Every structure is written in C-alpha cells, then in structure tokens.
C-alpha cells in the first residue's frame, strides 16, 4: 500500500508552529492582522471565509472582516483596499474570489500592495517567484511543497509533471518544483498524448479540474501522486482529479481527497500572514 500523505495532520502541525510563533511575537509587542473582504454572499465563499477567520482565531491572528453587498462598485472595493494598504496594523489583505462579474478581478488583485498580498496572486509576487526573489507564494502550491518535504519526499532531480497551468495552481506549482530542483514539465488541455507525458513523472501533480480523470494508465509505477482537485461526485461525496481507488495500489505515495492538499491552503495563508508581520518589523 502507498504512503498516504496526511494533509490534515501536516496542516495541524504547521498551525501549531504558527501559534507558538505568534505567541512569541506578541511578547515582543508584534501583532498579526489579516483583513478579509467578501463581496456578495456566495455560500461557498462564505464557507471559505469562515474557515479562514476560524484559523486566524486559533493561531492568534486578528482578523478584520468586511462583508460587502453584491452591488458594491469596483471603485468602492478599490477604495477599501487602498485604505487597508495604508493601514499600518494590517499585515495581509485577502479578497475572496470570485468577485461579482461587474468587478474586474485583475484590477482587484493588482490593487493589493505586494507586501500585503498574502494570497500571492499579485503580478509582482508571481514575477518574484519566477526570478527567484522574495515574495508571497500562492498558498495551494506552497502547501504542496510542504506536504512533500514533511513526508520525506525528495524533489531534487525528480521528473515532476504538473497537469494544469492556471495562475493560482499550475504555474506557481511548476515554478516551486523548479526552485526545489525538480525537472519540470507542465501539461495542459493542448498537450498531445497526455498519458505518455504523465507516465514519465516521479512526482505527478494533478490540477486539472476534472473529477477522477487521472486513472492508473497515467501513472508510472511507484510515482508520488498529488491531487489538487476538489469535486462532489454523484453521491455528493468529495473526490479529486485522481481516481484514488484505481491509482493508490500502483503509486508509492498519494494525497487523499478530502484530507490531502485542501487543508494545506489555509495553513499556508496563515503562514504568509505571520511572515508578513515578521518582515514588516
Ligand atoms: P483551472 O480550471 O483554472 O485550470 C485547469 C487546468 O487544467 C488548465 O490549465 C487546463 O488547460 C487543464 N486541463 C483541463 N482539461 C484538461 C485535460 N483534459 N487534459 C489536460 N489538461 C487539462 O483550475 P485550477 O487550477 O484553479 O484548479 C484545478 C483544480 O484544483 C480544481 O478542481 C479546483 O477546484 C482545485 N483547487 C483546489 C484547491 C485546494 O485548496 N485544494 C485550491 C485551488 C483549486 P488549459 O490551460 O489549456 O485550459
């Protein structure tokens, strides 16, 4: 049986470490504060925002909550971000995506000061990652690196294949694996003979957004398989981009869904907030 990479356990470990760090910072008079903005009342977004605020409370990070109505204009939202950019005691600003259609998402991402961009979505943060400079890294791929490292899985020298090239998962994932000295291939919807490409992978990251698409025919025997996907199957149960039951017997390590990559995203968001506060002082 493969090693089951336990994201629940590893994220809990990271949160404990952060809790201690925040307590130590408090003793030195340094507090940490995250501003969370939600526009509209999309139920899934409300759940994500609620979970982020809960994690803040657990770790000892103060959270400022802005629940804005659906009809909020882009100007109003940008004005709030501008105010929070200037507010000394705010270390991180998070706008829960997606925003309503009348608001330009890119303009919102660009408006957040890079030094408070704890989601790591700002073009400056992405550029810094690309050229190996300091900057915040998108939380889900950063969490995957932690999962690999803390599970004792070596990245250097390995053939790594990332399926997906989105700005929030695929691209930063590929750059992070490269930073860790993996040999990286990025596959996408125009990749020819995807199975041939994925079968080269010692480490395969599936961020394809298609429920249980990745079956054992895509896997090299003994590969490490990281499943980023989150979907509801026909029985309303959570499943990933990987067909877990089919793939688990042929791989050496695998992340389950739920309890794999998912819990890491919030842990890394908290990590970015703490880092922001520490860097600022
Ligand atoms: P996107 O839809 O933005 O990107 C999907 C990527 O997969 C695209 O690059 C697309 O290629 C590629 N793709 C689609 N179909 C195929 C195919 N048949 N063969 C090869 N490549 C294909 O998704 P995200 O990156 O935002 O998210 C990916 C998954 O991860 C989703 O299930 C999402 O719910 C989940 N997710 C989970 C998070 C977590 O915390 N665990 C956080 C963020 C996302 P192309 O560019 O050519 O269109």
């Amino acid at each position: 049986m493969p090693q089951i990479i336990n994201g629940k356990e590893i994220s809990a470990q990271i949160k404990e470490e952060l809790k201690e760090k925040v307590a130590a910072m408090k003793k030195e008079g340094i507090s940490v504060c995250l501003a969370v903005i939600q526009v509209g009342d999309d139920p899934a977004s409300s759940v994500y925002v609620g979970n982020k605020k809960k994690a803040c409370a657990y770790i000892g990070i103060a959270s400022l909550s802005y629940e804005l109505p659906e009809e909020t204009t882009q100007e109003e939202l940008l004005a709030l971000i501008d105010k929070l950019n200037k507010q000394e005691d705010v270390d991180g600003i998070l706008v829960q995506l997606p925003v309503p259609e009348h608001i330009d998402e890119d303009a919102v991402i660009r408006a957040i000061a890079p030094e408070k961009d704890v989601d790591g979505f700002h073009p400056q943060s992405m550029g810094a990652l690309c050229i190996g400079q300091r900057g915040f890294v998108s939380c889900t791929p950063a969490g995957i690196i932690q999962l690999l490292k803390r599970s004792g899985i070596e990245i250097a020298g390995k053939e790594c294949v990332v399926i997906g090239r989105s700005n929030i998962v695929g691209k930063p994932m590929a750059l992070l694996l490269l930073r860790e000295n993996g040999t990286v291939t990025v596959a996408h919807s125009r990749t020819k003979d995807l199975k041939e490409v994925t079968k080269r992978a010692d480490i395969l990251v599936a961020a394809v957004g298609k429920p249980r698409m990745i079956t054992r025919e895509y896997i090299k025997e003994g590969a490490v398989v990281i499943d980023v996907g989150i979907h509801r199957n026909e029985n309303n149960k959570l499943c990933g981009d990987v067909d877990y039951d089919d793939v688990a017997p042929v791989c050496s390590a695998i992340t389950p869904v739920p309890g794999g990559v998912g819990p890491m995203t919030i842990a890394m968001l908290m990590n970015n907030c703490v880092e922001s506060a520490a860097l600022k002082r």
Side-chain angles (χ1 to χ4, degrees):
M1 276 313 279
Q3 173 186 358
I4 313 294
I5 301 175
N6 191 333
K8 225 171 147 180
E9 227 168 79
I10 295 173
S11 67
Q13 216 175 63
I14 292 174
K15 283 191 207 155
E16 285 312 314
E17 290 164 14
L18 289 171
K19 197 174 176 178
E20 277 176 31
K21 204 165 168 182
V22 168
M25 285 164 76
K26 264 191 191 141
K27 281 190 189 144
E28 292 174 31
I30 302 168
S31 57
V32 188
C33 173
L34 171 69
V36 183
I37 306 171
Q38 183 182 357
V39 186
D41 54 5
D42 172 63
S45 290
S46 301
V47 171
Y48 291 135
V49 164
N51 287 341
K52 287 167 188 174
K53 288 196 276 194
K54 231 187 274 171
C56 281
Y58 180 75
I59 290 166
I61 298 175
S63 60
L64 298 175
S65 184
Y66 297 88
E67 284 154 27
L68 308 181
E70 180 86 21
E71 359 15 293
T72 303
T73 65
Q74 182 165 318
E75 289 65 36
E76 286 167 334
L77 177 57
L78 295 185
L80 172 60
I81 293 171
D82 186 49
K83 185 182 94 148
L84 294 167
N85 279 340
K86 292 175 181 146
Q87 212 167 303
E88 267 287 311
D89 60 338
V90 171
D91 301 292
I93 302 170
L94 180 146
V95 179
Q96 184 63 45
L97 301 178
V99 285
E101 265 176 24
H102 64 275
I103 297 176
D104 175 3
E105 191 170 291
D106 285 338
V108 172
I109 291 172
R110 277 197 310 273
I112 297 170
E115 64 275 14
K116 300 191 181 188
D117 174 38
V118 285
D119 256 339
F121 295 163
H122 192 285
Q124 189 173 312
S125 308
M126 279 293 282
L129 174 61
C130 195
I131 60 173
Q133 289 186 355
R134 188 191 277 279
F136 291 114
V137 176
S138 184
C139 300
T140 303
I144 291 170
I145 296 293
Q146 285 301 313
L147 281 181
L148 292 169
K149 286 190 169 172
R150 290 173 185 245
S151 303
I153 294 162
E154 174 97 35
I155 303 169
K158 296 284 174 63
E159 286 282 345
C160 305
V161 175
V162 180
I163 321 175
R165 56 175 165 180
S166 70
N167 290 341
I168 62 165
V169 187
K171 280 190 199 127
M173 185 74 254
L175 289 165
L176 282 174
L177 289 165
L178 187 61
R179 190 164 87 179
E180 298 295 331
N181 300 311
T183 301
V184 183
T185 304
V186 182
H188 45 77
S189 68
R190 306 284 286 274
T191 297
K192 286 199 180 121
D193 209 347
L194 182 62
K195 286 178 193 162
E196 277 305 305
V197 175
T198 57
K199 280 198 122 166
R200 297 205 295 263
D202 300 312
I203 299 174
L204 178 67
V205 180
V208 65
K210 300 263 183 315
R212 285 179 298 177
M213 176 182 140
I214 306 304
T215 52
R216 65 171 66 189
E217 294 93 75
Y218 290 81
I219 310 292
K220 174 165 91 176
E221 179 116 27
V224 173
V225 179
I226 305 293
D227 188 355
V228 187
I230 308 176
H231 314 276
R232 294 243 167 228
N233 71 10
E234 51 288 354
N235 305 319
N236 205 31
K237 277 183 124 181
L238 287 176
C239 71
D241 289 344
V242 174
D243 186 339
Y244 184 91
D245 294 335
D246 190 49
V247 167
V250 298
C251 62
S252 63
I254 188 165
T255 58
V257 177
V261 173
M264 296 301 291
T265 302
I266 289 187
M268 298 317 288
L269 172 70
M270 299 296 112
N271 182 66
N272 283 351
C273 292
V274 175
E275 211 170 273
S276 174
L279 278 173
K280 201 166 72 188
R281 276 89 178 187

